[in-house]
Amino acid sequence: MSETASPAVPAAGTSQPQGTDGALPHKQIMLVIYGLMLGMLLAALDMTIMGTATKTIADQLHGQTIQAWVTTAYLITSTIATPLYGKLSDIYGRKPMYMTAIGLFLVGSVASGFAQSMYELAAFRAVQGLGAGGLMSLALAIIADIVSPRERGRYMGYFMAVWGTSSVIGPVVGGFFAGVESFAGIAGWRWVFLVNIPVGIVGLIVVFRYLNVPHRKVDHRIDYWGAATLTAGLVPLLIVAEQGREWGWGSAASVTMYVIGLVGLAAFVFVENRMGDEALIPLRLFRYSVFSMSNAINFILGVGMFGMMMSLPLYLQIVKGASPTESGLLTLPMTAGILIAAMTSGRAIAKTGRYKVFPVIGLGVVAVSMFLFGQIGTDTPMLWTMTIMLAAGAGLGLCMQTLVLSVQNIVPPKDMGVATSSATFFRSIGGTVGTAVFLSVLFSVVLDRLSGLAGGRGGGNIDINDTSFLARMTPEQKRPILDAFSHGIDVVFTVGGIVILVAFALIWFLKEVPLSMKSGIERRADEESAAEEPAVVVG
C-alpha cells in the first residue's frame, strides 16, 4: 500500500479553508454535515416508512411468512457493501462514493416500487442495500475525518435530529401510502419506495455542492475475493435461518447450508489473512483489544436491536390492531429515548472525555427492557408498552454512538475508513442474523400454537401469509390467534434479552482509552509532519 503525498485538492468551484494543522473551521464542518444529513435522511426515512408499511406490503403480495426476506436481503447487501465502501472511499475519496451510494439506493427504490412479488421485492431491496451500506458508514467516517472524538458528540445532535424528524414523518407517510388503494394512479404501497426519488435527487445535488473534504489518496487493491467468500459464508446461514422451520433444522438441506456457510466463513478468514492490509477487514486491527471487544458487542447489540425493532410493529399491528400509521406513531417513545440519551451522552462525553459508563448503563437498560417486553400480552395496556419502549430507546441511545467512537479513537488515521465501516459492518451482521432468526422463531412459535386450534379458521386452515382476515373475524374468533402471536413475540423478546445480557457482561471488559482532541485530518497531518522531519544525528 502506498500513499500519494500530494495535497488535498478541493472540487472545482469550491473553496476549502483549512488551517495549517489540517483542521477545518466550524463553518466548513457545518456545510459538510448538511450534505451528510441529506444522505442519512434518505436512509432514515426508508427505515421508518418500511417499519410501518411492511405488514401491508406483505399482505398485498401474499407473503407474510416470508417478509423476513425483504429485510434480510437488504441487510445482507448493505452489510457486505459496508466494508467495501470504506476501502473505496480511501482510494477515490468520500464524496464520489457517497454519491454512488445515493445513486444505487435510488435505483433500488424505483425497482422496488414496481415489484410484483415478495421475492422480487427482496431482490430489489438488495439493490437498495448496496446503496444503504455506504450512506451510514461513510457519514460516520467523514465525521471522524473532520471532528475530534472528544468533540464529536456536539455534532451528533444534528444527525439525531434527522432520525427524530424521520421517526415522526416516516410513520405518517408510510401509513398514508400503505392505507390508500392508489395515489396518482399507482397502488398506494408502491409509493413507500417511490417517495425516495425526490429526496434522493435533492440529496445528490446538495452532496455534490457541499460535501467537500480534504482527501489524500491511499492506493489499495480491492478485496473482491474477501467480499465473495463473505457472501458465500453469510447467505447460506441466513437462508437456513429463514427456511429452517420448514425444512427441519436437522434436515439434509439445512445441514448443507450449515456446511457451505462455515466453509465460506473459513475461506473468508483465509483470504483476509493473505490480503494483509488490503483485506476487506484487515486482521491486524483485531490486535487492538478495544477494536475486537467493541465489534463483538456491536454484533450482539445488532442481533437484539434489529430483532426488537422488527417485532414491535408486528405486535402493534397484529395483536393490538393498530394501523400502519398508528403503529409508527406508537413507537415514538423509543425514538425519543434514543434521541435524548444520545444527545445527552454526547454532550457529557465532550465535557468529561469519559465514555465507557454510557454503554454499560445502556446495555443494562436494554436487557431489562427486553425481558419486560417478554411479559406483554394481548391485553397489556399501551401506556405500559410505550413506557418500556422509552426505556429501551434510552438504552440504545447510550450505546450506539459510543461503541463506534471507541473504535475510531484507537485506530491510525489511515485506517479510519475501514475501521468505521467495520463497526457498522458487525452491527449490520448482527441485525441480519437477528432479523432472520427472530422472525423465523416468531412464526415457528405462532404456527405451533395455531396447529392446536380446532374449528372455524383454526388449525392448519389458517394462512398467516395474509393476516387481513383478522379484520373479518369476531373478537371471540380471533382471540386465540392474537394470543398465539403475542406468545410468539414474547418468546422473541425473552431470547433477545438473554442475547443482550451477553453484551452487558462483555462491556465490563472494554478498555477505556482517553479520547483524542484531534480530528482524523489533524492526526494525519501530525504523522506526515513527523515523517518529514530530518533525523537528528548526535555526536
Side-chain angles (χ1 to χ4, degrees), residues 310-344:
M310 289 303 300
S311 299
L312 272 175
L314 292 177
Y315 170 78
L316 295 173
Q317 293 182 43
I318 296 176
V319 179
K320 288 297 187 179
S323 68
T325 303
E326 291 169 343
S327 171
L329 295 175
L330 287 171
T331 59
L332 285 180
M334 178 175 288
T335 302
I338 292 175
L339 293 177
I340 294 170
M343 295 178 71
T344 302

Side-chain angles (χ1 to χ4, degrees), residues 231-290:
T231 302
L234 285 180
V235 173
L237 296 178
L238 291 165
I239 289 175
V240 75
E242 166 63 23
Q243 299 295 328
R245 59 186 171 83
E246 294 184 9
W247 295 348
W249 298 107
S251 67
S254 294
V255 171
T256 300
M257 293 294 102
Y258 299 146
V259 172
I260 295 174
L262 292 175
V263 170
L265 292 179
F268 173 70
V269 174
F270 174 77
V271 169
E272 298 305 271
N273 187 53
R274 291 291 299 272
M275 290 293 291
D277 280 354
E278 312 300 329
L280 205 60
I281 303 176
L283 297 185
R284 63 176 171 78
L285 292 178
F286 289 94
R287 297 172 188 166
Y288 297 101
S289 62
V290 172

Side-chain angles (χ1 to χ4, degrees), residues 403-428:
L403 290 172
V404 176
L405 181 64
S406 66
V407 170
Q408 294 175 332
N409 184 55
I410 54 94
V411 299
K414 68 175 183 178
D415 293 320
M416 191 63 70
V418 69
T420 303
S421 63
S422 295
T424 308
F425 169 77
F426 282 104
R427 185 179 299 168
S428 296

Side-chain angles (χ1 to χ4, degrees), residues 336-401:
I338 292 175
L339 293 177
I340 294 170
M343 295 178 71
T344 302
S345 62
R347 293 194 182 99
I349 290 170
K351 183 177 181 180
T352 67
R354 306 298 298 271
Y355 60 89
K356 180 178 175 178
V357 62
F358 298 110
V360 170
I361 296 173
L363 287 168
V365 172
V366 173
V368 171
S369 300
M370 294 286 273
F371 287 120
L372 290 175
F373 274 135
Q375 301 302 311
I376 61 177
T378 309
D379 298 319
T380 300
M382 274 308 306
L383 179 61
W384 175 238
T385 304
M386 294 170 72
T387 301
I388 304 174
M389 289 184 203
L390 179 65
L396 291 174
L398 293 175
C399 298
M400 292 167 67
Q401 67 169 328

